[in-house]
Amino acid sequence: MRAFVVNELAHPSKIALNSSTPEPKAGANQVVVDVYSVGLNFFDILQAQGKYQHKPPLPFTLGTEFAGRISQDSPIPEGCGLRRGQRVFGAQIGAFADKVAADLDRVIALPDNVSFDQGAGLFITWPTSYEALVGRAELKKGEWVLVTAAAGGVGIAAVQIAKAIGAKVIAAAGSTEKIEVAKRFGGADHGINYSNAGWQKEVLKITGGHGVDVIYDPVGLINDCLKCIAWKGRALVIGFAGGTIEKVPMNLVLLKNVSLVGLHWGAYSIHEPNHIPKVWENILAMFSSGRVRPVIYDEIYSLEQLVDGLAALEKRQTWGKAVVRVKDEKTGERAKL
């Protein structure tokens, strides 16, 4: 089968698609999934180079978030509730391929109103944003939220979830185009370009001097955002896509009674596994109600174009969730784009 195999750690641009990779075999408590779509994540670029915290042993197939159908020849572990041919989404290392062997606890039935392309960006992106805002920040109706990288995968999910809760959302991004994406597809109330000097003053003006109650930051802009946080505000540390892990001046935290709150969704499977189904129940209910929907970047990549997609992601050219389409949703044949 086709697979993006990392034999030696390198930038993705130096890795080629392998067309003769053996198909995966299901291990204990696993199913084999025919991959239809795969979500692109910034950590894919880091993982290929050995710069991400999770370092699979070499060789490994890159890619994590996927959507597809359970293979007709897949074993079905007793009592799991899944069936061959069922539409599913999930996350498992090895997703940039025609097939992936996935752990049962990392596979979920895909709602009928969600396409494979949309489903490919759900498993990590949406619970990260939901648990951060709802579980960690305890966001309430009427509060002000500032979302950095608001047009990105987790960002635009955070914008939608905050709006569904009834919060007032300020979308922060580095260009007018991305601000408009966050407004048009995410429903953000206001937009701020954080490449402009003194942008925090505009935030304070928008909020009537109150400041934002919650900061959602996957970039590494906590220090900048603290200049416009409200009294007893909560600053959510989601990631460091900007490449720098910040050192926060703790006097700012003290002076405004600020809470610095981390969110590592992947660690919930170790420390709080019983909480995961509750989060998914609430997210899927949001999808069913139509209050939120996955946002997909308007250029879909084929598996052969994976390197191009990761390059666009690395250069901050994409918005929403960038996706590789492996198979056509209607025919099940290899996608031709």
Side-chain angles (χ1 to χ4, degrees), residues 144-152 159 168-183 187-208 211-212 216 219 221 224-225 227-228:
W144 284 100
V145 182
L146 175 67
V147 179
T148 64
V159 170
K168 295 169 285 188
V169 180
I170 301 173
S175 70
T176 302
E177 178 193 11
K178 290 191 175 182
I179 290 169
E180 289 306 311
V181 166
K183 287 182 175 180
D189 300 288
H190 304 275
I192 290 291
N193 188 331
Y194 49 49
S195 62
N196 296 333
W199 59 267
Q200 298 92 339
K201 293 179 182 178
E202 185 65 22
V203 171
L204 292 171
K205 182 179 178 181
I206 290 170
T207 61
V212 291
Y216 179 97
V219 179
L221 291 174
D224 287 345
C225 294
K227 295 176 183 178
C228 57

Side-chain angles (χ1 to χ4, degrees), residues 70-127:
I70 297 179
S71 297
Q72 292 296 339
D73 56 358
S74 173
I76 304 295
E78 186 175 351
C80 75
L82 298 172
R83 65 183 187 278
R84 295 181 183 93
Q86 186 174 7
R87 300 171 79 249
V88 295
F89 69 98
Q92 191 82 36
I93 189 72
F96 288 137
D98 287 311
K99 293 176 180 284
V100 64
D103 298 338
L104 287 178
D105 61 358
R106 297 177 67 79
V107 177
I108 299 174
L110 185 66
D112 291 338
N113 64 338
V114 179
S115 70
F116 286 129
D117 287 346
Q118 292 174 321
L122 297 185
F123 198 85
I124 297 172
T125 304
W126 280 82

